Amino acid sequence: MSAFSRVGNDAFATTALDTLESFGVATAQIRRDEKAATGIALIGVDREGENTIVVIGGANMALDISDLERARAPLAGTKVLLTQREIPPSVSLLAAERARAAGAIVVHDPAPAPSDGLRDEELRAFDIVTPNESETEALVGFRPDNAADAQRAGRALIARGVRSAIVKLGAGGVHVVGPDCDLFVPPFRVKSVDSVGAGDSFNGGLADALARGLGLPAAVRFAAACGALATTRYGAAASAPTRAAVESLLAQG
């Protein structure tokens, strides 16, 4: 697994790189930017464990075509590319194009979603999109509050050109719509204390499962278990579950 990004030349960069490497993530494609500070996120958590995040993009937003050229070989050999909107969208789109041309599955987490949504041509660049409730509202014009709403939103995204849509309802479960599936994955019963990192764990678990060859329904269930377990611990990266813990939760039915 490789990360593709930029960091600054500061203490936050050292922390970020050390943390990634501790999880076994290759950091060779992460470039130090001498002009921009490392991107950070300021996270507030309420009494219910729900969070609000303010992102300061920093060096991440300085990514350009030169970074893609440096990553040409890794992109050509990847099985799954996971993108989001904390780097310039033009870079994500070009990376998606190159990865798909090489046979990869491209997953896009539309976070933070722009208030005016995404254009159809942007959606068509991705195999799978994974919006949460607020991101779904930005993309399709209404906020899903239940499984039926999530299904309707997923179908709307399919109609606009994305191949598969996974609409996340937080503690309410997940609905996935794809070429060969249209199903609701109910939430796992866990004791949640902090939702920070749940979406990231979901997407990381989804990418991992797809890379291991799981079909979309099984991959979504694996991802949902990852997201659920992330809510049982405090913190962001620190809340990411191990595969053993995820498989244990899945075995409980």
Side-chain angles (χ1 to χ4, degrees), residues 16 37 87 102 105 108-110 139 184-185 190 211 229-230 238 244 246:
I87 66 173
I105 299 170
H108 185 64
D109 179 9
L139 296 181
F184 176 69
V185 178
V190 296
L229 285 173
V246 175

Side-chain angles (χ1 to χ4, degrees), residues 147 150-151 155 165-167 173-178 180-186 216-218 220-221:
Q151 180 186 52
R155 290 177 176 177
I166 299 170
V167 179
V174 183
H175 199 99
V176 53
V177 182
D180 302 311
C181 64
D182 189 339
L183 59 91
F184 176 69
V185 178
L216 188 58
V220 170
R221 190 164 183 270

Side-chain angles (χ1 to χ4, degrees), residues 3 25 44 56-57 61 83 87-88 106 111 115 131 138 164 176 187 193 219 221 233 235 242:
V25 178
I56 302 172
M61 297 307 296
T83 65
I87 66 173
V106 179
S115 58
S164 299
V176 53
V193 296
R221 190 164 183 270
R233 299 173 62 186
T242 64

Side-chain angles (χ1 to χ4, degrees), residues 29-220:
Q29 298 304 321
I30 298 180
R31 177 178 173 184
R32 282 189 179 265
D33 192 309
E34 297 298 327
K35 296 182 179 179
T38 301
I40 60 173
L42 305 178
I43 306 172
V45 181
D46 65 20
R47 292 181 179 180
E48 303 301 321
E50 296 300 321
N51 68 79
T52 300
I53 304 175
V54 177
V55 175
I56 302 172
N60 279 330
M61 297 307 296
L63 261 73
D64 58 27
I65 187 65
S66 67
D67 296 281
L68 280 180
E69 291 304 315
R70 291 172 57 251
R72 185 177 288 273
L75 277 176
T78 193
K79 293 181 180 179
V80 179
L81 176 68
L82 175 58
T83 65
Q84 34 67 37
R85 299 187 64 82
E86 292 178 10
I87 66 173
S90 59
V91 177
S92 283
L93 289 170
L94 185 54
E97 178 184 326
R98 291 184 177 181
R100 287 177 82 177
I105 299 170
V106 179
V107 180
H108 185 64
D109 179 9
S115 58
D116 57 351
L118 299 180
R119 302 187 309 275
D120 289 357
E121 53 267 33
E122 290 181 277
L123 289 171
R124 287 194 293 268
F126 310 116
D127 295 296
I128 302 170
V129 293
T130 64
N132 64 18
E133 301 104 308
S134 61
E135 293 152 5
T136 297
E137 183 176 18
L139 296 181
V140 301
F142 65 90
R143 185 184 181 92
D145 293 321
N146 51 53
D149 286 349
Q151 180 186 52
R152 182 161 63 97
R155 290 177 176 177
L157 289 168
I158 297 295
R160 292 182 56 197
V162 70
R163 295 185 181 182
S164 299
I166 299 170
V167 179
K168 300 176 292 186
L169 299 172
V174 183
H175 199 99
V176 53
V177 182
D180 302 311
C181 64
D182 189 339
L183 59 91
F184 176 69
V185 178
F188 288 90
R189 293 188 177 183
V190 296
K191 185 177 180 181
S192 298
V193 296
D194 182 355
S195 64
V196 176
D200 294 325
S201 290
F202 180 100
N203 284 308
L206 178 68
D208 172 74
L210 293 171
R212 290 187 285 117
L214 271 66
L216 188 58
V220 170

